Amino acid sequence: MAATPAIRPKRVRPVSEVPNIMKQGRFTPWMYLGPALFVMILFIVYPALNTLYLSFRNINGTDWATQACVAGEACWGPLENYRYALTSPIMVTSFINNLKWIFIMVPGCVLGGLLIATLANRVQYESLAKSIIFLPQAISFVGAGVIWKFIYDYGSGGPVQIGLLNALLVSLGGQPVSWMTEPQVNTVALIIVGVWMTTGFCMTILSAAIKNVPADLLEAASVDGANAWVAFWNITVPVILPTLTVVTTTMVINVLKIFDIVYIMTGGNYGTEVIANRMYQEQYGAFNTGRAAAIAVVLIVIIIPAMILNIRRFRAEEAMR
Amino acid sequence: MRKRSGFLLVALILSIALTVPSVLRAQSTNIDCKGAQKGDTVSMLYQWSGQEETRLNQILKPLADACGIAFKPESTRDQALLDTRVQAGTPPDVAFWTLAAAARYQDKLKTMDSLGANKAAYADFFVQNGTVNGKWLALPVKADIKTIIWYSPAVFKAKGYAVPKTWDELNTLVEKMVANKDVPWSMGFESGDATGWTGSDFIQDIMLVQQGPQYVNDIIAGKVAYNDAGVKNAYQTYGKWAKDPKYTVGGAQGTLSTAFLDAVYKPFMDPPQAMMVKQSGFAGGEIQKKFPDLKYGADYDFFPVPGAKGLQGGADLMLSFSDKPAVKALVTYLASPVGAVNWAKSGFDVTPNKAAVGSYTDPGLVKKAEALANTSGFTYDIGDTIPGGFGKAEWTAIVNFVNGKDLDTELAAVAKVQAEVLGVKPGGAATMAATAAK
């Protein structure tokens, strides 16, 4: 043990002498990929293809979807389920609502997260402030739905409002509002729950990006006389832009899939239906496999552009490092 | 001395403990184990929870003790769970579920005759209801009647209101209450994924008054489309009350957003926030639980929806995916006199098993069991009976109607689902034969 190994002179290996272990046959990469491919094919590729197939089939997959056509009414043949998924009134409502979710929840949580990350970066109690904002992330969507159901509770005719929001309204002399059933108001009320849930996620990622902004750049700017506002817009934002894009596209994907909040709080009633809840209702409420599959395919198709953008941006960001 | 009394106590406990099994054995002579072995298990899926679960356990305990069967229950309200299990080929041995599920899984279910159920223990309409394509697949285990209105006799007396005997009297009473600045109805739809079912119950009762039980059965059979004038009429009668704050607590928004149990409580609060609530028999137990000081008969009671021809009711059904001996023992037990008596004693609502009559102890249940035993016309919940997505479509229409959407559009949407599911063209004529001939 004590003996020191002999020091061998270093020499550069010629390329032809690559050790055996580094040499790869044609099948070696496939062997490495094998387990992952197997899992991917079994749990992602096969179900996706099967869903596509089922979307052309009837209510229980026993015949083509054409069978569901009613004489004298519009019919898309084997694409009949897609006629439902794209043109039925309830699906149109779902599309409009999903757009509302995107246009309110995504900016709400990205801008909210950015604001908090920037402000928290400047205070002593940063970790405490960020922990509090992040806390809702630890609650499941279902749990959050139940909590907010109480906040939005509407006590009809009763002297006491147990809903926090209505109790506040009444104590300020207002009339209680039935937040969950009032059209227009209810979808926004649900989106606020979503923002409350996800702002912490956006904040954490953006905060990390902000901390990566080179200090010398900011110092140089302040030497040149830029105030905090100018430095933020001209230095911080451009530097974190790739991260901002990834966070935004990730949120768009999440929002397109939104289900739990709507399912728990309104069940998709009162005009709050969204695509994913409709898909669930078709499968397990109406047991209509064909329609549910068609809605699933439509949802995938809508999500794909956001995913491509997301992956491209992510790669660009990696390449920069 | 002290030590000796301690010894005596131990001896006493021991002797009691030793005699308990023999008492059980004596009871078990009425229970047929159908060859089930000690240690056999029965997996069960049901929607009950809390006190309901306790009562079911109480009912099953003599069977478990006598045959050594272990029950492995799972409680869920999730439709998806049962369906996923059945599709995956791993269904529970038995499921306490709906008739729509019996129709959906008819090829996978065992018939109740083959499991040893005694058909004669049930009224004809219960057996008929559980029969799908000529096979008796669903054992009715727990019945409830829906065509009743709960009220407070004390409040009625104090305010000078009388229990109405006819639909016109009910209308007059409602208007009198409004004139007195009392809110007649308490209504509440909110019930998560199933929001709207209380409305569909009420509307079906109105159909029983305006049209009669045959009309309701024709809707279930697909002979009458759901957007028929009679259905529309019932919705309008209902909507007049359900959408107006003069008639119901909080008007349309109150009806929509009040949880169905909260609606049950309102007439019995102090001061009462409404005079009446139309809700099934189970409401009695909920009122008692919420207000333990109130007495049945004096502070809360029910009367049948006046003018209704026949009763609307429902039964929780047991479906069996297995025919192993332990399941046979369970089916035989529930359909037997000893099972019926144990069910009645547990106070777990009313069992359709005729042998239970006379064994109820709770006065509310006694009255309910009598009403059930004496009814001639009996109709099932339309939404529970028509399979597929009909029930959900019906609730959606009711919710949207109360929320101010156009009634004709909503009813047409339900009629379309009804036609799709039952193979009937909108308009009425059954075309099942025509489709088959093609």
Side-chain angles (χ1 to χ4, degrees):
Chain A
M1 284 298 279
T4 47
I7 297 163
R8 275 183 296 184
K10 268 190 180 170
R11 75 183 176 104
V12 177
R13 277 195 190 112
V15 179
S16 62
E17 274 183 48
V18 171
N20 241 0
I21 188 123
M22 300 288 282
K23 281 188 187 156
Q24 292 181 347
R26 192 181 300 178
F27 298 106
T28 320
W30 290 107
M31 279 173 62
Y32 289 135
L33 272 175
L37 268 183
F38 175 74
V39 172
M40 284 281 291
I41 288 172
L42 189 65
F43 290 108
I44 295 183
V45 179
Y46 161 67
L49 290 178
N50 195 36
T51 303
L52 187 64
Y53 170 70
L54 285 174
S55 71
F56 301 121
R57 305 288 285 179
N58 68 355
I59 183 162
N60 50 9
T62 51
D63 200 346
W64 294 103
T66 318
Q67 184 227 18
C69 286
V70 180
E73 284 179 37
C75 174
W76 289 13
L79 298 177
E80 180 62 11
N81 290 325
Y82 288 91
R83 192 175 69 82
Y84 179 83
L86 295 171
T87 66
S88 67
I90 188 75
M91 281 304 290
V92 172
T93 309
S94 305
F95 288 133
I96 293 170
N97 282 334
N98 268 94
L99 280 178
K100 282 187 202 161
W101 275 85
I102 290 179
F103 284 115
I104 302 175
M105 178 164 155
V106 176
C109 106
V110 173
L111 296 181
L114 184 62
L115 181 75
I116 293 159
T118 314
L119 294 181
N121 204 19
R122 298 162 163 267
V123 292
Q124 292 278 313
Y125 47 90
E126 178 182 355
S127 58
L128 178 72
K130 278 165 48 176
S131 303
I132 291 171
I133 302 293
F134 192 73
L135 216 54
Q137 278 281 303
I139 306 171
S140 68
F141 273 102
V142 175
V146 174
I147 293 170
W148 280 84
K149 220 173 165 178
F150 281 114
I151 293 180
Y152 289 141
D153 189 88
Y154 170 70
S156 58
V160 186
Q161 292 289 340
I162 64 152
L164 181 66
L165 214 49
N166 278 327
L168 275 175
L169 266 181
V170 170
S171 69
L172 293 174
Q175 284 295 314
V177 177
S178 176
W179 299 101
M180 288 295 94
T181 59
E182 205 73 62
Q184 310 306 329
V185 178
N186 51 12
T187 297
V188 177
L190 295 180
I191 295 173
I192 288 171
V193 181
V195 173
W196 179 78
M197 286 289 294
T198 50
T199 302
F201 168 78
C202 297
M203 176 204 70
T204 312
I205 313 248
L206 293 173
S207 176
I210 287 172
K211 290 198 186 303
N212 271 338
V213 175
D216 43 354
L217 271 182
L218 291 169
E219 266 169 37
S222 78
V223 168
D224 288 344
N227 60 21
W229 182 252
V230 173
F232 177 75
W233 283 109
N234 291 316
I235 295 172
T236 309
V237 169
V239 171
I240 65 166
L241 196 59
T243 314
L244 216 47
T245 319
V246 169
V247 168
T248 307
T249 45
T250 309
M251 287 317 301
V252 169
I253 294 170
N254 283 343
V255 167
L256 281 169
K257 296 189 301 184
I258 198 75
F259 167 76
D260 324 50
I261 295 177
V262 177
Y263 177 76
I264 292 294
M265 296 185 69
T266 64
N269 284 311
Y270 328 117
T272 59
E273 191 69 292
V274 289
I275 302 173
N277 189 56
R278 194 68 230 154
M279 177 173 76
Y280 177 89
Q281 294 301 348
E282 289 298 338
Q283 178 64 55
Y284 293 114
F287 298 115
N288 194 329
T289 316
R291 281 180 181 175
I295 296 172
V297 172
V298 168
L299 187 55
I300 295 171
V301 170
I302 297 173
I303 287 179
I304 282 175
M307 280 174 74
I308 291 176
L309 195 65
N310 197 3
I311 292 168
R312 279 209 187 138
R313 275 291 164 177
F314 188 71
R315 282 192 184 150
E317 200 185 356
E318 289 288 293
M320 278 194 347
R321 292 216 168 122
Chain B
M1 273 310 278
R2 186 163 279 246
K3 205 159 201 174
R4 177 163 293 179
S5 67
F7 169 77
L8 281 174
L9 195 67
V10 170
L12 192 68
I13 289 171
L14 267 178
S15 62
I16 290 171
L18 285 172
T19 48
V20 165
S22 63
V23 169
L24 286 176
R25 226 169 285 134
Q27 260 187 359
S28 72
T29 48
N30 298 325
I31 295 175
D32 185 349
C33 293
K34 292 276 171 180
Q37 301 294 313
K38 194 172 186 311
D40 281 1
T41 59
V42 175
S43 58
M44 309 191 290
L45 198 65
Y46 49 66
Q47 309 197 2
W48 299 311
S49 59
Q51 193 190 27
E52 299 170 319
E53 231 174 340
T54 318
R55 285 178 169 160
L56 183 71
N57 281 335
Q58 195 184 327
I59 294 161
L60 295 181
K61 194 167 184 305
L63 176 66
D65 289 341
C67 307
I69 300 169
F71 292 99
K72 300 250 181 294
E74 242 183 302
S75 172
T76 180
R77 287 186 181 272
D78 188 0
Q79 275 280 8
L81 190 70
L82 178 63
D83 195 54
T84 315
R85 295 254 172 99
V86 176
Q87 301 297 336
T90 54
D93 292 330
V94 297
F96 296 86
W97 224 256
T98 59
L99 187 67
R104 180 165 164 74
Y105 307 124
Q106 50 179 294
D107 298 334
K108 300 189 170 79
L109 292 171
K110 309 287 179 232
T111 66
M112 285 301 144
D113 316 87
S114 74
L115 297 171
N118 173 22
K119 213 172 232 173
Y122 302 96
D124 234 17
F125 48 74
F126 279 119
V127 176
Q128 280 314 310
N129 177 244
T131 303
V132 180
N133 287 337
K135 291 184 292 179
W136 185 29
L137 297 178
L139 187 75
V141 292
K142 183 166 87 69
D144 203 355
I145 49 174
K146 300 188 173 192
T147 315
I148 53 176
I149 293 168
W150 292 89
Y151 73 110
S152 164
V155 173
F156 264 45
K157 202 176 163 201
K159 303 220 177 224
Y161 300 137
V163 170
K165 296 276 185 297
T166 64
W167 186 257
D168 286 339
E169 279 182 31
L170 176 66
N171 254 322
T172 316
L173 175 66
V174 165
E175 297 302 334
K176 190 176 161 194
M177 287 170 173
V178 171
N180 285 354
K181 298 265 185 299
D182 284 327
V183 179
W185 296 107
S186 170
M187 293 175 176
F189 276 3
E190 212 284 319
S191 180
D193 200 22
T195 296
W197 65 264
T198 50
S200 78
D201 280 7
F202 206 139
I203 288 169
Q204 186 168 338
D205 284 340
I206 296 174
M207 286 183 206
L208 283 176
V209 173
Q210 294 174 339
Q211 312 288 340
Q214 191 52 46
Y215 186 81
V216 172
N217 287 330
D218 283 351
I219 292 176
I220 293 173
K223 289 180 199 154
V224 169
Y226 201 77
N227 56 352
D228 187 75
V231 179
K232 192 177 170 186
N233 203 7
Y235 269 74
Q236 281 164 335
T237 306
Y238 178 66
K240 182 190 167 198
W241 290 335
K243 292 159 87 165
D244 189 337
K246 287 206 299 283
Y247 290 102
T248 188
V249 185
Q253 296 309 320
T255 301
L256 289 169
S257 59
T258 305
F260 71 93
L261 275 182
D262 288 342
V264 168
Y265 303 145
K266 285 180 196 278
F268 307 99
M269 287 177 173
D270 190 19
Q273 293 182 19
M275 295 293 111
M276 300 178 285
V277 56
K278 199 218 83 68
Q279 186 52 279
S280 313
F282 77 85
E286 298 297 335
I287 296 163
Q288 188 69 88
K289 222 182 335 179
K290 178 83 175 175
F291 308 104
D293 295 342
L294 297 188
K295 292 268 172 303
Y296 172 80
D299 301 310
Y300 68 98
D301 200 350
F302 64 86
F303 58 87
V305 171
K309 305 166 193 103
L311 284 177
Q312 179 197 177
D316 286 349
L317 302 170
M318 192 177 92
L319 318 174
S320 178
F321 292 92
S322 160
D323 55 2
K324 62 186 186 188
V327 170
K328 284 185 179 164
L330 173 62
V331 170
T332 311
Y333 171 70
L334 289 177
S336 72
V338 59
V341 169
N342 285 341
W343 195 291
K345 279 188 194 154
S346 76
F348 191 20
D349 226 318
V350 176
T351 168
N353 191 329
K354 288 182 203 160
V357 176
S359 299
Y360 297 99
T361 49
D362 179 277
L365 290 182
V366 172
K367 187 171 169 186
K368 216 163 93 172
E370 266 171 23
L372 191 64
N374 295 332
T375 185
S376 47
F378 194 86
T379 64
Y380 289 90
D381 186 302
I382 299 173
D384 286 351
T385 312
I386 299 180
F390 181 83
K392 182 80 186 169
E394 189 190 20
W395 297 333
T396 306
I398 288 163
V399 167
N400 288 346
F401 165 61
V402 173
N403 212 9
K405 293 273 172 63
D406 175 54
L407 180 58
D408 287 330
T409 319
E410 295 301 327
L411 291 183
V414 188
K416 192 155 177 279
V417 176
Q418 180 198 21
E420 278 170 10
V421 173
L422 297 174
V424 177
K425 297 286 178 209
T431 51
M432 245 164 155
T435 322
K438 232 183 355 185

